[in-house]
Amino acid sequence: MTHTRTTTGHGATIDGGRSTGGWKDRASEFALLPLRIFLGITFVYAGLDKLTDSQFLSAGGPGSLGEQMRGVRDVSAIPELVDLALRSPEGFGYAIALGELAVGIGTLVGLLTRIAALGGALISLSLWLTVSWNAEPYYLGNDLPYLMAWLPLVLAGASVLSLDALIAERRRRTV
């Protein structure tokens, strides 16, 4: 097995792609972890909240997804997307809830993190273009900041404390 050692400008040594010293290098490795934990917990919670709310998962009535979609249909950026959800509000509600749950779990454990983050970004994008599009000023709607928060994880993945890192390490050992 071949090991690569490189010295960084901060006095740290990179051993086979892992930092062995230097607080700046260590901090850089863990920089996305708080974001990953926050987004993962938030999406797990959001998915579970929807799955356990019988009113949300109904086609009509106060607090239902169907009622919310009818309320934003004419002010959304893409009314056709709202129309698609209105064809089966219950099915769409389950799809969003299960999607949020899968994205949240994948992000928390760091499994297929870039794909999970892309899923989170797409969910946030679809909610921004429909539900929170009419928020004024735009920064009062929370879906756009969530969309932006997912992008670093789409680009970088989860390099530490993740199943992705564990799998990558195993692959390096077997090569």
Side-chain angles (χ1 to χ4, degrees):
M1 176 191 281
T2 306
H3 290 286
T4 339
R5 284 181 102 59
T6 309
T7 304
T8 69
H10 306 295
T13 301
I14 306 293
D15 185 9
R18 297 182 65 200
S19 174
T20 59
W23 70 271
K24 288 182 181 180
D25 291 320
R26 295 298 291 164
S28 293
E29 281 184 50
F30 288 88
L32 292 178
L33 187 59
L35 183 62
R36 207 176 101 210
I37 292 168
F38 170 75
L39 290 171
I41 289 171
T42 301
F43 268 57
V44 166
Y45 180 81
L48 290 175
D49 189 43
K50 288 174 179 67
L51 288 173
T52 58
D53 184 351
S54 59
Q55 288 181 317
F56 176 80
L57 293 171
S58 59
S64 70
L65 179 63
E67 199 64 36
Q68 287 179 1
M69 291 288 104
R70 281 186 280 286
V72 299
R73 195 241 177 251
D74 294 332
V75 294
S76 72
I78 306 177
E80 297 79 17
L81 189 57
V82 176
D83 291 339
L84 182 64
L86 284 170
R87 288 186 189 158
S88 176
E90 300 96 337
F92 187 74
Y94 277 107
I96 289 289
L98 293 173
E100 287 174 337
L101 197 55
V103 162
I105 291 170
T107 302
L108 276 176
V109 300
L111 181 61
L112 303 173
T113 308
R114 284 187 169 108
I115 295 170
L118 180 61
L122 290 174
I123 289 170
S124 297
L125 176 64
S126 68
L127 292 174
W128 176 54
L129 292 173
T130 56
V131 178
S132 64
W133 179 258
N134 200 35
E136 196 170 307
Y138 75 92
Y139 53 81
L140 291 180
N142 65 352
D143 297 309
L144 182 58
Y146 276 103
L147 170 60
M148 294 300 120
W150 282 112
L151 296 181
L153 293 175
V154 170
L155 296 172
S159 60
V160 295
L161 299 177
S162 68
L163 292 175
D164 289 343
L166 183 67
I167 292 166
E169 181 62 29
R170 281 193 174 174
R171 285 185 183 150
R172 276 192 291 275
R173 287 182 185 171
T174 59
V175 172

